Amino acid sequence: MKIRSITFKPPEPKLKVIKSVTVYLSEKHSEIIIAPISKEPKAGYHYEQKDCEVIELNSSMEIIGKAIKRNFDKFNIEEKKTGMGNKSDWPAFKASKEKSMRRFEEKYRRISIRGLTDRNNTLRIETVLNLPIEIDLTSTISAHCEPSELGNRILKMFRSEITERK
């Protein structure tokens, strides 16, 4: 009896991707801009995709959570031929109602949402540039949570106030 040789070929490694989305909230304009993110595969940097979703700040928690999950799932890996570009080229800035980047950064509060691991089962939500106190808040939540829970968490972080004791 002859035994055939078995050749073992290890499986190809899957590309491990940590997804992300950026959310900009403005009380002045009463809107939320949700910017899906892309990753440049060769240089490794992240950038906002051209199409941002704009919703009302007073939308229900359910609508906010669904919009964030929908845009989180739009994450992709795509070559960008033009490089990083200027801040004034950011799609979120263009979708805003501000005329200068300085005013945009003053009037819109940025919250970053990223997967904690390449499985993207847990989301890390963090405030970015929480000026003038310079303390950033971070929270985690399951990616499988109800959309209303995610919307509620985002708004809680947006409305949180950290003040200095004197």
Side-chain angles (χ1 to χ4, degrees):
M1 181 165 126
K2 245 183 174 180
I3 299 176
R4 282 193 214 175
S5 68
I6 300 173
T7 57
F8 175 73
K9 182 178 178 187
E12 291 292 318
K14 286 185 176 179
L15 184 59
K16 296 184 179 190
V17 176
I18 295 177
K19 296 179 180 182
S20 62
V21 66
T22 304
V23 179
Y24 299 89
L25 301 102
S26 172
E27 279 187 326
K28 179 185 179 217
H29 299 298
S30 187
E31 69 182 8
I32 301 172
I33 300 172
I34 305 165
I37 303 295
S38 290
K39 180 179 180 179
E40 211 292 327
K42 294 177 182 168
Y45 61 84
H46 291 75
Y47 61 94
E48 292 178 359
Q49 294 177 20
K50 289 184 181 179
D51 297 324
C52 296
E53 185 172 343
V54 180
I55 59 175
E56 292 292 320
L57 184 61
N58 60 4
S59 298
S60 72
M61 307 289 179
E62 181 88 11
I63 290 171
I64 294 169
K66 282 182 179 178
I68 291 170
K69 284 186 173 195
R70 180 172 48 252
N71 285 283
F72 184 78
D73 289 335
K74 289 180 183 177
F75 181 91
N76 68 4
I77 297 174
E78 184 176 25
E79 284 189 38
K80 187 174 182 187
K81 295 177 175 76
T82 59
M84 290 285 287
N86 298 325
K87 278 185 167 184
S88 60
D89 295 334
W90 286 359
F93 170 65
K94 289 180 178 180
S96 75
K97 297 175 181 172
E98 292 298 334
K99 292 182 177 35
S100 74
M101 193 64 194
R102 186 177 74 76
R103 297 275 297 161
F104 174 73
E105 289 177 334
E106 285 175 4
K107 300 298 177 193
Y108 286 83
R109 190 136 163 231
R110 183 168 51 148
I111 295 179
S112 172
I113 304 168
R114 297 174 40 98
L116 206 53
T117 66
D118 61 331
R119 292 180 183 237
N120 298 298
N121 287 330
T122 304
L123 304 178
R124 178 185 313 170
I125 306 166
E126 50 193 349
T127 59
V128 181
L129 300 174
N130 194 3
L131 301 175
I133 197 68
E134 298 178 1
I135 294 176
D136 294 329
L137 300 175
T138 302
S139 180
T140 56
I141 192 168
S142 169
H144 308 293
C145 68
E146 292 296 319
S148 59
E149 290 177 60
L150 180 58
N152 187 31
R153 184 76 54 97
I154 296 296
L155 290 179
K156 277 184 179 179
M157 290 185 76
F158 172 64
R159 293 191 172 115
S160 66
E161 292 291 329
I162 298 176
T163 58
E164 262 183 301
R165 292 187 180 165
K166 297 190 182 200

